[in-house]
Amino acid sequence: MKIFLDTANVNEIKKACDMGMVDGVTTNPSLVAKEKKDFKKLIKEICNIVKAPVSAEVISLEESGMIKEAIELSKISEHVVVKIPFTLDGLKATRKLKEKNINVNMTLIFSLNQALLACKAGARYISPFVGRLDDIGYNGFDLAIDCQNLIDNYGYDCEVIAASIRNPNHVITAINNGIDISTLPYSILEQMMKHPLTDIGIEKFLSDWKKSQN
Ligand code: G3P
């Protein structure tokens, strides 16, 4: 499974890249706003670090504005993937951007019907928001799994990004269900590495070793 980092924080991205674990990055306007930096410069900086797909989201809500922003964003780096929210205008923009060979990550996917329409419009990635569905009493992963089946059954040139991942169990569910990509906050990447029995095991091995050296 590919691991994308869901952040616009350069320090987190550098640390995760240093681990060798980052296959891409996703940002959204909320994550970018937290960084208080010039948007395009920040996306360029992230692309230069990651050298892999980096999602940058448009702000416009109508088709022509989305396309204009998408073209501008795609000029920043070959690694930019334009994130477009799921709306009718978003679908139309996605189709036109596909014709221009600009990769789109269609975001804010909350139903399988939306996912199908995004695939048909030519999205390169679709992002079902698992945690936000959990928040309102659904099982968010049911949708991510359905999206994966949709792509696998019909052979769309599209990958599922399980987004709005909130805990390490979400990642395990993604792995067990063959989800293409999970996009994770840095804190979850750190949590994935930890297990108390690993720490206890290391401590015991070292203390046994030291005893044998006396
Ligand atoms: O990639 C979308 C994701 O960042 C949303 O996460 O936790 O704000 O629902 P969250």
Side-chain angles (χ1 to χ4, degrees):
M1 186 179 70
K2 290 181 197 168
I3 292 179
F4 283 12
L5 214 58
D6 194 28
T7 182
N9 184 279
V10 168
N11 289 335
E12 290 181 345
I13 291 167
K14 280 184 181 161
K15 280 192 279 181
C17 284
D18 202 40
M19 292 178 202
M21 290 298 155
V22 180
D23 300 303
V25 164
T26 53
T27 70
N28 63 40
S30 305
L31 293 171
V32 169
K34 280 203 271 181
E35 301 306 313
K36 303 191 190 325
K37 290 183 177 175
D38 177 82
F39 178 38
K40 287 184 184 164
K41 282 187 191 155
L42 177 58
I43 294 299
K44 191 174 184 63
E45 190 179 2
I46 294 171
C47 288
N48 288 340
I49 297 165
V50 177
K51 297 182 177 67
V54 173
S55 289
E57 190 157 342
V58 299
I59 303 300
S60 300
L61 292 179
E62 27 70 56
E63 180 189 348
S64 62
M66 286 174 168
I67 292 172
K68 190 164 169 281
E69 276 184 65
I71 291 170
E72 287 299 308
L73 289 170
S74 70
K75 286 180 190 159
I76 295 174
S77 162
E78 63 185 306
H79 299 301
V80 165
V81 173
V82 179
K83 220 172 177 188
I84 303 237
F86 184 92
T87 59
L88 177 56
D89 280 65
L91 285 173
K92 289 181 189 168
T94 297
R95 179 166 296 287
K96 300 227 169 97
L97 292 168
K98 166 89 177 165
E99 285 163 13
K100 295 180 191 297
N101 291 320
I102 293 175
N103 287 328
V104 169
N105 172 2
M106 188 141 256
T107 189
L108 292 166
I109 298 283
F110 289 101
S111 78
L112 187 58
N113 287 329
Q114 289 179 330
L116 172 68
L117 297 174
C119 288
K120 288 180 76 72
R124 178 66 188 78
Y125 303 92
I126 52 171
S127 292
F129 275 35
V130 170
R132 291 193 194 184
L133 279 169
D134 287 354
D135 289 345
I136 59 162
Y138 290 84
N139 180 348
F141 252 101
D142 288 348
L143 173 61
I145 294 163
D146 284 351
C147 287
Q148 193 66 59
N149 287 334
L150 162 72
I151 287 170
D152 295 346
N153 287 343
Y154 290 98
Y156 287 112
D157 181 21
C158 181
E159 288 175 278
V160 175
I161 304 179
S164 187
I165 295 273
R166 301 277 178 75
N167 57 60
N169 274 337
H170 275 156
V171 186
I172 289 169
T173 308
I175 297 165
N176 281 332
N177 287 283
I179 302 294
D180 294 316
I181 302 162
S182 285
T183 190
L184 316 177
Y186 181 74
S187 58
I188 292 181
L189 185 60
E190 280 188 320
Q191 282 177 282
M192 285 169 67
M193 297 203 298
K194 292 191 179 124
H195 198 289
L197 290 179
T198 305
D199 299 339
I200 291 166
I202 290 171
E203 207 172 300
K204 175 90 171 85
F205 287 153
L206 283 180
S207 75
D208 288 346
W209 176 259
K210 276 180 195 157
K211 274 185 231 156
S212 77
Q213 303 300 301
N214 291 333

